[in-house]
Amino acid sequence: MSVDQEGGKVSRMPETVESIPSSRKVGETNDSALAETMGELLARQVQLAGFNVDFAPVLDVNSNPKNPVIGDRSFGSSAELVSRMGIAEMKGLRSEGIIPVVKHFPGHGDTSVDSHLDLPVVNKTEKQLAELEWIPFQAAVKEQVEAVMVAHILFPKLDPDHPASLSDVIIGEHLRGKFKYDGVVITDDLSMGAIAKNFKLDEAALATVKAGSDILLVAHSYESAKTIFDTLMSAVKSGKISESRIDESVYRILALKQQYKLSDDQKASGDLKQLNADIVDWRKEIDAR
């Protein structure tokens, strides 16, 4: 059961839960202990509602001041700061038994288009990405991150035909190959404008599975989820996708569930009053910097 709970403007909690400030505000303290506490508090928030996966931390380096979608969702504009704070937040989430999902690989920090609306294009070479965007993700892979979310961004110098989320070059050759990452790969929401305006949903589903994705995230409609399910079922039956390829993903997902001892009888948990008090105390530490 997963949710986007980052703090700042990306918050899904009701008003009865004290708010968590943006990653940028925490990044400005330059204190990784505060970022680790942020992860712990986010984890406790989502546990209140019965979730066990959080689409956080954001590991995008905010290198483009005109970026319409990342901005203060990033810890800052330096790869070193984003890596250090992001890994700390990831450890905080983990420590409370919530599965962290780092995002948005290969890096959404230098886009000038919101991928919710249309397909951003980033004309960077592999060398340029390796010198900035990829640094936090490589740090996360080194720390054996459980799951990576892949963005809907076209990197024409790496793959002129497919955005990262559908790209065998970016997921297969780079993330799985060069980064040696064998954890769970999840797509960003396949109903976002970046995909919907440029690809048919069934084509996108086939492409991303072939590229190496394990979980296909699709929001907003039962019909879309059913289209993807039916597409993949018929692709396996017809031999377009091998059963062993599906099994690879199943094993990765089951291994992660086992690692976190997830089961169907889990319930929402936590003490709202205590959590709110802890958030207020932590915010005072940040404001004091």
Side-chain angles (χ1 to χ4, degrees):
M1 291 288 289
S2 50
V3 65
D4 248 342
Q5 178 62 8
E6 299 172 8
K9 62 187 173 192
V10 180
S11 177
R12 316 297 179 192
M13 292 292 115
E15 284 176 11
T16 50
V17 183
E18 286 287 342
S19 65
I20 287 181
S22 68
S23 294
R24 179 191 286 163
K25 189 155 188 190
V26 181
E28 283 167 354
T29 68
N30 197 27
D31 185 341
S32 52
L34 290 174
E36 187 162 347
T37 304
M38 178 189 192
E40 291 165 10
L41 295 170
L42 286 166
R44 288 167 62 193
Q45 281 188 332
V46 302
Q47 276 170 339
L48 283 175
F51 291 98
N52 44 41
V53 178
D54 191 8
F55 297 143
V58 172
L59 293 189
D60 303 308
V61 182
N62 192 41
S63 58
N64 182 345
K66 292 184 176 163
N67 192 319
V69 69
I70 299 301
D72 68 359
R73 294 169 65 194
S74 164
F75 282 108
S77 56
S78 114
E80 186 279 327
L81 178 71
V82 171
S83 301
R84 191 160 40 84
M85 303 297 270
I87 298 301
E89 183 188 331
M90 183 177 95
K91 288 178 175 174
L93 282 156
R94 256 181 198 166
S95 71
E96 293 290 330
I98 294 294
I99 298 171
V101 180
V102 298
K103 62 187 185 184
H104 307 80
F105 184 79
H108 215 311
D110 194 23
T111 55
S112 49
V113 170
D114 183 345
S115 53
H116 292 89
L117 308 174
D118 218 323
L119 181 62
V121 178
V122 174
N123 278 301
K124 285 193 166 182
T125 62
E126 182 181 336
K127 184 173 182 290
Q128 287 172 311
L129 289 165
E131 286 167 357
L132 185 71
E133 279 85 353
W134 287 357
I135 292 170
F137 292 100
Q138 284 169 319
V141 169
K142 210 172 264 183
E143 289 290 339
Q144 298 181 308
V145 66
E146 291 79 347
V148 175
M149 180 181 283
V150 185
H152 306 317
I153 305 171
L154 192 68
F155 293 86
K157 290 191 169 141
L158 273 70
D159 184 342
D161 303 315
H162 296 100
S165 53
L166 313 182
S167 171
D168 183 40
V169 175
I170 290 169
I171 298 172
E173 285 179 31
H174 287 92
L175 184 56
R176 295 257 187 240
K178 292 180 182 175
F179 285 28
K180 295 186 168 49
Y181 177 67
D182 192 37
V184 170
V185 170
I186 182 168
T187 67
D188 207 341
D189 176 13
L190 290 167
S191 63
M192 282 160 61
I195 298 299
K197 287 184 181 177
N198 297 283
F199 298 90
K200 288 182 178 165
L201 191 55
D202 56 348
E203 289 169 3
L206 289 173
T208 194
V209 170
K210 286 178 178 174
S213 294
D214 302 304
I215 299 178
L216 281 57
L217 177 63
V218 62
H220 309 302
S221 95
Y222 172 78
E223 286 69 32
S224 297
K226 190 170 185 321
T227 296
I228 287 178
F229 182 81
D230 292 345
T231 298
L232 295 178
M233 286 292 281
S234 70
V236 173
K237 282 176 184 164
S238 69
K240 268 189 200 168
I241 293 177
S242 69
E243 206 166 315
S244 62
R245 168 64 200 89
I246 300 295
D247 287 345
E248 272 175 41
S249 291
V250 172
Y251 284 128
R252 284 190 197 109
I253 294 161
L254 289 178
L256 184 52
K257 284 183 174 180
Q258 203 164 23
Q259 185 187 334
Y260 276 78
K261 299 181 169 57
L262 302 189
S263 71
D264 289 343
D265 57 9
Q266 279 176 303
K267 307 262 189 316
S269 63
D271 177 339
L272 176 60
K273 199 174 168 189
Q274 184 61 55
L275 172 59
N276 280 343
D278 292 345
I279 292 172
V280 169
D281 288 345
W282 172 75
R283 281 201 317 239
K284 281 178 189 161
E285 279 189 73
I286 289 170
D287 291 339
R289 293 307 176 97

